[in-house]
Amino acid sequence: MNIRPIKTEADYRETLREIETLMSAEAGTEAGDRLDVLATLVEAYERTHFPMDLPDAVEAIKFRMEQQGLTVDDLVPAIGRKNRVYEVLARRRPLTVRMIQALNKRFNIPAESLINQRVSPRAA
């Protein structure tokens, strides 16, 4: 198995092309092992060259609401009264530590995303 590190954009594109040809490889075969190694190299390259930012708190909450079919009423136990939920969703009120903990525990929203808050300039 002749595998090289991905150092350039050309190496990256070439590796992606090879991965595409190996997509039907069965696990445990030489081709399957090659696919695993190449995918790991691509993942490492992408993590370094194409980092993804975490969503901000409101985006994470709205995503979870959509994903689980939640309503504003469902957020009341974690955030507080209904008007407070609307203020948070409109970015007029930042989340408190208690809210972050409750949203993380109750709805399994990553704390890293909940900490990443953007408050509208009007609220600041």
Side-chain angles (χ1 to χ4, degrees), residues 88-107:
V88 167
L89 293 177
R91 291 187 171 85
R92 287 192 304 266
R93 178 183 291 274
L95 293 170
T96 65
V97 172
R98 185 197 65 74
M99 291 175 192
I100 291 169
Q101 291 170 332
L103 289 164
N104 173 258
K105 184 176 181 180
R106 183 177 290 261
F107 301 109

Side-chain angles (χ1 to χ4, degrees), residues 58-99:
V58 172
E59 290 169 4
I61 293 167
K62 287 180 178 180
F63 176 76
R64 184 66 76 210
M65 289 175 75
E66 181 180 320
Q67 198 176 43
Q68 295 181 351
L70 302 172
T71 66
V72 168
D73 290 329
D74 296 319
L75 298 178
V76 167
I79 294 178
R81 296 183 312 260
K82 211 172 192 176
N83 66 328
R84 180 154 298 154
V85 174
Y86 282 115
E87 289 173 342
V88 167
L89 293 177
R91 291 187 171 85
R92 287 192 304 266
R93 178 183 291 274
L95 293 170
T96 65
V97 172
R98 185 197 65 74
M99 291 175 192

Side-chain angles (χ1 to χ4, degrees), residues 12-33:
Y12 173 68
R13 286 192 307 274
E14 181 182 326
T15 304
L16 288 177
R17 279 192 295 275
E18 185 172 354
I19 285 174
E20 190 174 326
T21 67
L22 296 170
M23 289 306 288
S24 60
E26 293 186 30
T29 65
E30 187 174 331
D33 291 346

Side-chain angles (χ1 to χ4, degrees), residues 26-64:
E26 293 186 30
T29 65
E30 187 174 331
D33 291 346
R34 184 172 185 81
L35 175 62
D36 285 343
V37 172
L38 292 175
T40 301
L41 288 172
V42 165
E43 183 181 335
Y45 182 86
E46 287 175 344
R47 191 175 26 251
T48 302
H49 293 86
F50 310 113
M52 291 183 60
D53 291 333
L54 288 170
D56 82 320
V58 172
E59 290 169 4
I61 293 167
K62 287 180 178 180
F63 176 76
R64 184 66 76 210

